[in-house]
């Protein structure tokens, strides 16, 4: 069987694992007694070890046959490591400055070995909680998303190549089904895995479960998630999947990768920035402390969309006719090309807002919450932040068709009290 040689690594077993693989051992240098090993996994799903040697370092990530944050009661295929490695390599080729290099993949062991993003790299979510400004974040994330999404779509590729990719990633079905449940289904019904700050948000969670318009909108988004194979997504692009410094932005953890709607990636990033915005009052140690920082977050939301749109359209302008979606002889005038681009980008904008809203809602009343809000110790303050975020997200989910540019969305965020 494919997985017959799988065993779960720990720090002791890892030393033997690396000793037996000269290409890995040589990267660390010295002898095994000189290696420092630390398990640092703080995500929901996998084991992550940092290995440091006299000569070099790497990160080794191993998928477990279950969801780590739930336990063995929720089995999950270790094949996700294969999809993660495949996306890291493909996105790394398309956006080389924004994805860690993969050094080694061991399929039966579900092990990916990659570049250690050394300090001062920090998980973006943690940087946002500290109130750190990242001046290049919008520029870098718009580069990453424009390049990976454009170049894996039918705007760049033949339908033949596209269908091969879709077929390959359609096997990442268990990960897609997890997302279907935890984002598009469970927050809208009574489910034992849901949680929220109680009793403060009891009525809010209940009113979501009774909100027919929200249910119709989330059904549309779920259908899009399941049916629209638009591009090869990262598919878990929240601020916990991005590591940053003042000059570097790196996207990690694409184990949910599959061909889905582009707005699912764009919305993940924008929605998680909005969650950070609404959490900031809970982190202020005095009145007004985070006001300037909140404006920077809003500016980053605006710039990310605007730069993404500009870069995506520039790639499209440079590549008319390379993909099968808009054949050059059909789309043969500036007029028709402009119309095609306007229609494409307005659908993508709408999708991004919808998925952003869905991702905010699931982080407040679903199974998996975010540190931005969870780390607010004063429960009253936390509940107020959560209610504002949830109210904005519900509004965006239902009324997003009223918004035609990102500036209007930013004004709506600012008007929530
Ligand atoms: P999970 O799939 O369980 O969420 P992640 O890939 O997000 O796992 O990794 C969990 C944590 O491990 C990250 O939050 C980060 O702190 C650390 N980490 C993961 N990959 C790297 C890397 N390449 N360099 C440095 N730290 C990393
Ligand atoms: C059980 S839900 C766990 C969540 O963590 C991952 O990073 C994904 O966001 C998933 O939805
Ligand atoms: Mg993660
Ligand atoms: Mg993950
Ligand atoms: Mg999310």
């Amino acid at each position: 069987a494919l997985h017959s040689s799988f065993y779960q690594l720990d720090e002791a077993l890892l030393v033997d694992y690396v000793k037996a693989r000269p290409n890995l051992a040589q990267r660390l240098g010295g002898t095994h007694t000189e290696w420092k090993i630390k398990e640092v996994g703080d995500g929901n799903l996998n084991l992550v070890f940092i290995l440091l040697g006299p000569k070099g370092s790497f990160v080794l990530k191993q998928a477990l046959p279950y969801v780590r944050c739930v336990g063995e009661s929720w089995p999950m295929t270790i094949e996700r490591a294969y999809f993660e490695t495949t996306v890291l390599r493909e996105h790394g080729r398309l956006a080389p400055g924004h994805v860690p290099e993969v050094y080694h993949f061991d399929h039966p062991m579900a092990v990916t070995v990659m570049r250690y993003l050394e300090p001062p790299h920090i998980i973006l979510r943690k940087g946002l909680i500290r109130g750190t400004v990242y001046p290049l974040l919008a520029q870098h994330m718009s580069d990453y998303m424009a390049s990976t999404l454009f170049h894996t779509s039918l705007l760049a590729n033949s339908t033949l190549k596209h269908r091969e990719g879709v077929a390959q990633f359609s096997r990442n079905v268990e990960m897609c089904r997890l997302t279907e449940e935890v984002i598009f289904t469970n927050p809208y019904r009574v489910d034992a895995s849901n949680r929220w700050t109680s009793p403060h948000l009891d009525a809010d969670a209940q009113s979501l479960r009774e909100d027919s318009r929200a249910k119709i909108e989330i059904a549309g988004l779920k259908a899009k998630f399941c049916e629209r194979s638009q591009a090869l997504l990262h598919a878990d692009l929240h601020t916990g999947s991005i590591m940053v410094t003042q000059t570097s932005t790196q996207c990690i953890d694409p184990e949910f990768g599959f061909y889905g709607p582009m707005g699912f990636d764009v919305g993940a990033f924008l929605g998680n920035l909005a969650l950070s915005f609404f959490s900031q009052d809970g982190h202020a140690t005095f009145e007004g402390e985070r006001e300037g920082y909140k404006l920077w977050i809003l500016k980053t939301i605006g710039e990310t969309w605007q730069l993404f749109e500009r870069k995506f359209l520039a790639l499209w302008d440079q590549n008319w006719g390379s993909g099968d979606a808009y054949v050059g002889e059909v789309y043969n005038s500036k007029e028709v090309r402009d119309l095609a681009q306007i229609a494409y980008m307005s659908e993508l904008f709408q999708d991004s807002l919808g998925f952003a809203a869905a991702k905010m809602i699931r982080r407040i009343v679903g199974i998996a919450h975010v540190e931005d809000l969870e780390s607010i110790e004063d429960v009253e303050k936390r509940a107020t932040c959560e209610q504002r975020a949830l109210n904005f997200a519900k509004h965006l989910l239902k009324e997003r068709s009223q918004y035609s540019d990102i500036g209007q969305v930013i004004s709506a965020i600012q008007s929530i009290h």
Side-chain angles (χ1 to χ4, degrees), residues 284-332:
T285 54
F286 56 86
E287 177 92 19
E289 185 191 16
R290 295 280 179 122
E291 291 310 310
Y293 194 64
K294 284 161 71 177
L295 289 177
W296 174 76
I297 296 175
L298 294 180
K299 183 165 117 200
T300 302
I301 290 174
E303 285 181 1
T304 298
W305 173 262
Q306 282 161 355
L307 290 171
F308 167 76
E309 182 174 51
R310 191 184 309 161
K311 290 170 187 178
F312 190 94
L313 288 174
L315 287 171
W316 195 347
D317 283 338
Q318 291 151 24
N319 291 279
W320 269 104
S322 4
D324 278 344
Y326 295 87
V327 172
E329 291 77 14
V330 179
Y331 301 88
N332 57 358

Coordinates of all heavy atoms in Angstrom, one line a residue, residues 284-332:
A284 N -5.2 47.5 22.0 CA -4.7 48.8 22.4 C -4.6 48.9 24.0 O -5.5 48.4 24.7 CB -5.7 49.9 22.0
T285 N -3.5 49.4 24.4 CA -3.3 49.5 25.9 C -3.7 50.9 26.4 O -3.9 51.1 27.6 CB -1.8 49.3 26.3 OG1 -1.0 50.2 25.5 CG2 -1.4 47.9 26.0
F286 N -4.0 51.8 25.5 CA -4.6 53.1 25.9 C -5.5 53.5 24.7 O -5.3 53.1 23.5 CB -3.6 54.2 26.3 CG -2.6 54.5 25.2 CD1 -2.9 55.4 24.2 CD2 -1.4 53.8 25.3 CE1 -1.9 55.7 23.3 CE2 -0.4 54.1 24.3 CZ -0.7 55.1 23.3
E287 N -6.5 54.3 25.0 CA -7.5 54.8 24.0 C -6.7 55.4 22.8 O -5.9 56.3 22.9 CB -8.4 55.8 24.7 CG -9.4 56.5 23.8 CD -10.7 55.8 23.8 OE1 -11.0 55.0 24.7 OE2 -11.5 56.0 22.8
G288 N -7.0 54.9 21.6 CA -6.4 55.6 20.4 C -5.1 55.0 20.0 O -4.6 55.4 19.0
E289 N -4.5 54.1 20.8 CA -3.1 53.6 20.5 C -3.0 53.0 19.2 O -2.0 53.2 18.5 CB -2.7 52.6 21.6 CG -1.3 52.1 21.4 CD -0.9 50.9 22.3 OE1 -1.8 50.2 22.8 OE2 0.3 50.7 22.4
R290 N -4.0 52.3 18.7 CA -3.9 51.6 17.5 C -4.6 52.3 16.3 O -4.8 51.7 15.2 CB -4.5 50.2 17.6 CG -3.7 49.3 18.6 CD -2.5 48.7 18.0 NE -1.7 47.9 18.9 CZ -1.4 46.6 18.7 NH1 -1.8 46.0 17.6 NH2 -0.6 45.9 19.6
E291 N -5.0 53.5 16.5 CA -5.8 54.2 15.4 C -4.9 54.3 14.1 O -5.4 54.1 13.0 CB -6.3 55.5 15.8 CG -7.4 55.5 16.9 CD -8.6 54.5 16.5 OE1 -9.1 54.6 15.3 OE2 -8.9 53.6 17.3
G292 N -3.7 54.7 14.3 CA -2.8 54.9 13.1 C -2.6 53.5 12.4 O -2.6 53.4 11.2
Y293 N -2.4 52.5 13.3 CA -2.2 51.2 12.7 C -3.4 50.7 12.0 O -3.3 50.0 10.9 CB -1.8 50.2 13.9 CG -1.2 48.9 13.3 CD1 -0.1 48.9 12.6 CD2 -1.9 47.7 13.5 CE1 0.5 47.7 12.1 CE2 -1.4 46.5 13.0 CZ -0.2 46.5 12.3 OH 0.3 45.4 11.8
K294 N -4.6 50.9 12.5 CA -5.8 50.5 11.8 C -5.9 51.1 10.4 O -6.3 50.5 9.5 CB -7.1 50.9 12.7 CG -7.3 49.9 13.8 CD -8.1 50.5 14.9 CE -9.6 50.6 14.5 NZ -10.4 51.1 15.7
L295 N -5.5 52.4 10.3 CA -5.5 53.1 9.0 C -4.5 52.4 8.1 O -4.8 52.2 6.9 CB -5.1 54.6 9.2 CG -6.2 55.4 9.8 CD1 -5.7 56.9 10.0 CD2 -7.5 55.4 9.0
W296 N -3.4 51.9 8.6 CA -2.4 51.2 7.7 C -3.0 49.9 7.3 O -2.9 49.5 6.1 CB -1.1 50.9 8.5 CG -0.2 50.1 7.6 CD1 0.5 50.5 6.6 CD2 0.0 48.6 7.7 NE1 1.1 49.4 6.0 CE2 0.8 48.2 6.7 CE3 -0.5 47.7 8.6 CZ2 1.2 46.9 6.5 CZ3 -0.1 46.3 8.4 CH2 0.7 46.0 7.4
I297 N -3.7 49.2 8.1 CA -4.4 47.9 7.7 C -5.4 48.2 6.5 O -5.4 47.6 5.5 CB -5.1 47.2 8.8 CG1 -4.1 46.8 9.9 CG2 -5.9 46.0 8.3 CD1 -4.7 46.2 11.1
L298 N -6.2 49.3 6.7 CA -7.2 49.6 5.7 C -6.4 50.0 4.4 O -6.9 49.6 3.3 CB -8.1 50.8 6.1 CG -9.0 50.4 7.3 CD1 -9.8 51.7 7.7 CD2 -9.9 49.2 7.0
K299 N -5.4 50.8 4.5 CA -4.6 51.2 3.3 C -4.1 49.9 2.6 O -4.1 49.8 1.4 CB -3.5 52.1 3.8 CG -2.6 52.6 2.6 CD -1.8 53.8 3.1 CE -0.4 53.4 2.9 NZ 0.8 53.6 3.2
T300 N -3.6 48.9 3.4 CA -3.1 47.7 2.8 C -4.2 46.9 2.1 O -4.0 46.3 1.1 CB -2.4 46.8 3.9 OG1 -1.4 47.7 4.5 CG2 -1.8 45.6 3.4
I301 N -5.4 46.9 2.7 CA -6.5 46.2 2.0 C -6.7 46.9 0.7 O -6.8 46.2 -0.4 CB -7.8 46.3 2.9 CG1 -7.6 45.4 4.1 CG2 -9.0 45.9 2.1 CD1 -8.8 45.5 5.1
G302 N -6.8 48.2 0.7 CA -7.1 49.0 -0.6 C -5.9 48.7 -1.6 O -6.2 48.4 -2.8
E303 N -4.7 48.9 -1.2 CA -3.6 48.8 -2.1 C -3.4 47.4 -2.6 O -3.1 47.2 -3.8 CB -2.3 49.2 -1.4 CG -2.2 50.7 -1.2 CD -0.9 51.1 -0.6 OE1 0.0 50.3 -0.2 OE2 -0.7 52.4 -0.4
T304 N -3.7 46.4 -1.8 CA -3.6 45.0 -2.3 C -4.5 44.8 -3.4 O -4.1 44.2 -4.5 CB -3.9 44.0 -1.1 OG1 -3.0 44.2 -0.1 CG2 -3.8 42.5 -1.6
W305 N -5.8 45.1 -3.3 CA -6.8 44.9 -4.4 C -6.3 45.7 -5.6 O -6.3 45.2 -6.7 CB -8.2 45.2 -4.0 CG -9.0 45.1 -5.2 CD1 -9.4 46.2 -6.0 CD2 -9.4 43.9 -5.9 NE1 -10.1 45.7 -7.1 CE2 -10.1 44.3 -7.1 CE3 -9.3 42.5 -5.6 CZ2 -10.6 43.4 -8.0 CZ3 -9.8 41.6 -6.5 CH2 -10.5 42.0 -7.6
Q306 N -6.0 47.0 -5.4 CA -5.7 47.9 -6.5 C -4.5 47.4 -7.3 O -4.5 47.3 -8.5 CB -5.5 49.3 -6.1 CG -6.9 50.0 -5.8 CD -6.8 51.2 -5.0 OE1 -5.7 51.6 -4.5 NE2 -7.9 51.9 -4.8
L307 N -3.4 47.0 -6.5 CA -2.2 46.5 -7.2 C -2.5 45.2 -7.8 O -2.0 44.9 -8.9 CB -1.1 46.4 -6.2 CG -0.5 47.8 -5.7 CD1 0.4 47.5 -4.5 CD2 0.2 48.5 -6.8
F308 N -3.2 44.3 -7.2 CA -3.5 43.0 -7.7 C -4.2 43.2 -9.1 O -3.9 42.6 -10.1 CB -4.4 42.2 -6.7 CG -5.0 41.0 -7.4 CD1 -4.3 39.8 -7.6 CD2 -6.4 41.0 -7.8 CE1 -4.8 38.7 -8.2 CE2 -6.9 39.9 -8.4 CZ -6.1 38.7 -8.6
E309 N -5.3 44.0 -9.1 CA -6.0 44.2 -10.3 C -5.1 44.8 -11.4 O -5.2 44.3 -12.6 CB -7.2 45.2 -10.0 CG -8.1 45.4 -11.3 CD -9.3 46.3 -10.9 OE1 -9.1 47.4 -10.3 OE2 -10.4 45.9 -11.2
R310 N -4.3 45.7 -11.1 CA -3.4 46.3 -12.1 C -2.4 45.3 -12.6 O -2.2 45.2 -13.8 CB -2.7 47.5 -11.5 CG -1.9 48.4 -12.5 CD -1.1 49.5 -11.8 NE -1.9 50.2 -10.8 CZ -1.4 51.0 -9.9 NH1 0.0 51.0 -9.7 NH2 -2.1 51.6 -9.0
K311 N -1.8 44.5 -11.7 CA -0.8 43.5 -12.2 C -1.5 42.4 -13.0 O -0.9 41.9 -13.9 CB -0.1 43.0 -11.0 CG 0.9 44.0 -10.3 CD 1.4 43.6 -9.0 CE 2.2 44.7 -8.3 NZ 2.7 44.3 -7.0
F312 N -2.6 42.0 -12.5 CA -3.3 40.9 -13.2 C -3.7 41.3 -14.6 O -3.5 40.6 -15.6 CB -4.6 40.5 -12.4 CG -5.3 39.3 -12.8 CD1 -5.0 38.1 -12.2 CD2 -6.2 39.3 -13.8 CE1 -5.7 36.9 -12.6 CE2 -6.9 38.2 -14.2 CZ -6.6 37.0 -13.6
L313 N -4.2 42.5 -14.7 CA -4.6 43.0 -16.1 C -3.3 43.3 -16.9 O -3.4 43.0 -18.2 CB -5.4 44.3 -15.9 CG -6.8 44.2 -15.4 CD1 -7.5 45.5 -15.2 CD2 -7.6 43.3 -16.4
A314 N -2.2 43.7 -16.3 CA -1.0 43.8 -17.1 C -0.5 42.5 -17.7 O -0.1 42.4 -18.8 CB 0.1 44.5 -16.2
L315 N -0.6 41.4 -16.8 CA -0.2 40.1 -17.3 C -1.2 39.7 -18.5 O -0.7 39.1 -19.5 CB -0.3 39.1 -16.2 CG 0.8 39.2 -15.1 CD1 0.4 38.3 -13.9 CD2 2.1 38.8 -15.7
W316 N -2.4 40.0 -18.3 CA -3.4 39.6 -19.3 C -3.1 40.4 -20.6 O -3.1 39.8 -21.7 CB -4.8 40.0 -18.8 CG -5.9 39.4 -19.6 CD1 -5.9 38.8 -20.9 CD2 -7.3 39.3 -19.2 NE1 -7.1 38.4 -21.2 CE2 -8.0 38.7 -20.3 CE3 -8.0 39.7 -18.1 CZ2 -9.4 38.5 -20.2 CZ3 -9.4 39.5 -18.0 CH2 -10.1 38.9 -19.1
D317 N -2.8 41.7 -20.5 CA -2.5 42.5 -21.7 C -1.2 42.0 -22.4 O -1.2 41.9 -23.7 CB -2.2 44.0 -21.3 CG -3.4 44.8 -21.0 OD1 -4.5 44.4 -21.5 OD2 -3.3 45.8 -20.3
Q318 N -0.3 41.5 -21.6 CA 1.0 41.0 -22.3 C 0.8 39.6 -22.9 O 1.6 39.1 -23.6 CB 2.1 40.8 -21.2 CG 2.6 42.2 -20.7 CD 3.2 42.0 -19.3 OE1 3.5 40.9 -18.8 NE2 3.2 43.1 -18.5
N319 N -0.3 38.9 -22.5 CA -0.5 37.5 -22.9 C -1.8 37.3 -23.6 O -2.3 36.1 -23.6 CB -0.4 36.6 -21.7 CG 1.0 36.6 -21.0 OD1 1.8 35.8 -21.5 ND2 1.2 37.4 -20.0
W320 N -2.4 38.3 -24.3 CA -3.6 38.0 -25.0 C -3.4 36.9 -26.0 O -2.5 36.8 -26.7 CB -4.1 39.3 -25.8 CG -5.0 40.1 -25.0 CD1 -4.6 41.3 -24.4 CD2 -6.3 39.9 -24.7 NE1 -5.7 41.8 -23.7 CE2 -6.8 41.0 -23.9 CE3 -7.3 38.9 -25.0 CZ2 -8.1 41.1 -23.4 CZ3 -8.5 38.9 -24.5 CH2 -8.9 40.0 -23.7
G321 N -4.3 35.9 -26.0 CA -4.3 34.8 -26.9 C -3.5 33.7 -26.5 O -3.5 32.6 -27.1
S322 N -2.7 33.8 -25.3 CA -1.9 32.6 -24.9 C -2.8 31.5 -24.3 O -2.5 30.3 -24.4 CB -0.8 32.9 -24.0 OG -0.7 34.2 -23.6
G323 N -3.9 31.9 -23.7 CA -4.8 30.9 -23.1 C -6.0 30.7 -24.0 O -6.2 31.5 -24.9
D324 N -6.7 29.6 -23.7 CA -7.9 29.3 -24.6 C -9.1 30.0 -24.2 O -10.1 29.9 -24.9 CB -8.1 27.8 -24.5 CG -7.2 27.0 -25.4 OD1 -6.6 27.6 -26.3 OD2 -7.1 25.8 -25.3
A325 N -9.1 30.8 -23.1 CA -10.4 31.4 -22.7 C -10.9 32.5 -23.6 O -12.0 32.6 -24.0 CB -10.2 32.0 -21.3
Y326 N -9.9 33.4 -24.1 CA -10.3 34.5 -24.9 C -9.4 34.4 -26.2 O -8.3 35.0 -26.2 CB -10.1 35.8 -24.2 CG -11.1 36.0 -23.1 CD1 -10.7 35.5 -21.8 CD2 -12.3 36.6 -23.2 CE1 -11.6 35.6 -20.7 CE2 -13.2 36.8 -22.2 CZ -12.8 36.3 -20.9 OH -13.7 36.4 -19.9
V327 N -9.8 33.7 -27.2 CA -9.0 33.4 -28.4 C -8.9 34.7 -29.1 O -9.8 35.5 -29.3 CB -9.8 32.4 -29.2 CG1 -9.1 32.2 -30.6 CG2 -9.8 31.0 -28.5
G328 N -7.6 35.0 -29.5 CA -7.2 36.3 -30.1 C -8.1 36.7 -31.3 O -8.4 37.9 -31.4
E329 N -8.4 35.8 -32.1 CA -9.2 36.2 -33.3 C -10.6 36.6 -33.0 O -11.3 37.2 -33.8 CB -9.2 35.0 -34.3 CG -7.9 34.7 -35.0 CD -6.9 33.9 -34.1 OE1 -7.4 33.4 -33.0 OE2 -5.7 33.9 -34.4
V330 N -11.1 36.1 -31.8 CA -12.5 36.5 -31.4 C -12.4 37.8 -30.7 O -13.2 38.8 -31.0 CB -13.1 35.4 -30.5 CG1 -14.5 35.9 -30.0 CG2 -13.1 34.1 -31.2
Y331 N -11.5 37.9 -29.8 CA -11.3 39.2 -28.9 C -10.3 40.0 -29.6 O -9.1 40.1 -29.2 CB -11.0 38.8 -27.5 CG -12.2 37.9 -27.0 CD1 -12.1 36.5 -27.2 CD2 -13.3 38.5 -26.5 CE1 -13.2 35.7 -26.8 CE2 -14.4 37.7 -26.1 CZ -14.3 36.3 -26.3 OH -15.4 35.6 -26.0
N332 N -10.6 40.7 -30.7 CA -9.7 41.2 -31.6 C -9.7 42.7 -31.7 O -9.1 43.3 -32.6 CB -9.9 40.6 -33.0 CG -11.4 40.8 -33.5 OD1 -12.2 41.4 -32.7 ND2 -11.7 40.4 -34.7

